[in-house]
Amino acid sequence: MSLTIESTRKQHALADYATRNIDMQVAQCEGRHAEALSASDVRIVRPRFLDDPMIPLGVITLISGRAGVSKSTLSIHRAAMATCGRLEGDYKGRPINVAFSATEDSLSMQKARLVAADADMSKVRFITMQDTHDGITTDTGMTIPDDLPMIRRIIKDNDIKLWIIDPITSCITGDTNKRDDVRTALDPLAALADDLGIAIVGILHFNKGGGYSSDKVSGSHAFRDIARSLILVVRDDDTGDCVMTIDKSSYSMAQGTSYSYALMSCDVPTDDGDIASVPKVTGFMRSDRDVNEVLNRNYSQSSGVEVAERAERNEVIGWLVDYLSSGPAAFAEIEKAAKAEGYTKKQLRNAKQRA
């Protein structure tokens, strides 16, 4: 008799457990939950490109280089070709709408460069964030990911296929040297690119000094991790032309492929009857030189001159004073930040003594 009762209790307990387990599964499906998806249910699709093999669709591409080496001009050149359907890729022969969010150049200058690059201006948009109070509108600057829901609507309403953010660090709150801060901003941005099937290109700066070019991308290594395509740009001090290398290409075999191009001055008539002289890309072609080679040759040829000029201009002192303007810091912390700017420990100690 006792065995029967015990058996019945076990059956009831198992039934109760099964019921609660099903209830838990149903409850989990309503919110965050784990899921095992069969690989046989996943569709294989061909990677699509806006600019094959440099700029894939549905992901983030980064263009990085030192200031003044034509990163922005290169992005404008490719965007202008896209507005005319002249890029090798999935939109070849089909002009598309492109958008720019650039904080370091005025809209006037951006338009002049686009005109010089022969862009179809009817297919260009400038995305900005505005705030209006009491009839007064001001540019508030863009914040990612906070502003993405509004920007998403703008991109869809204008059928934009390429969005260029220059520089991408200007939109990121927090410390761009910290992995978590960068991922908090760029993971939602990458999700937006994937969801809308658009190409997002971010412009990013190099750190100073020589070394392996892949390690010169400023900020956290998360930038390189998130980007599916990374393009590095340098200007050759010997020839004056520019070299770009596809340093990372997750969706093609183009990693290591390099191109060269020159910059020419182009006069664009202004609306007030004057002339604006702006740079324009010309002679874009494959190259045997790569960014790493050119970068280190430039540095080895000029490093001695640069050190002397820095000492004369008290550049290191100026940087140190600016860094300490918000309060004291340990030397190890200062040394790490100085290294990221291309300054040596010796220069830093000399600057400390002179200051």
Side-chain angles (χ1 to χ4, degrees), residues 163-204:
W163 180 24
I164 296 174
I165 309 171
D166 184 9
I168 197 167
T169 51
S170 66
C171 305
I172 298 176
T173 57
D175 190 342
T176 56
N177 290 301
K178 293 183 177 179
R179 175 185 178 277
D180 289 348
D181 288 356
V182 172
R183 295 213 73 114
T184 295
L186 296 194
D187 282 344
L189 186 65
L192 175 70
D194 177 55
D195 187 39
L196 298 182
I198 67 171
I200 296 179
V201 174
I203 308 298
L204 196 61

Side-chain angles (χ1 to χ4, degrees), residues 268-283:
V268 177
T270 64
D271 291 330
D272 56 5
D274 210 336
I275 295 292
S277 295
V278 297
K280 175 182 180 179
V281 169
T282 184

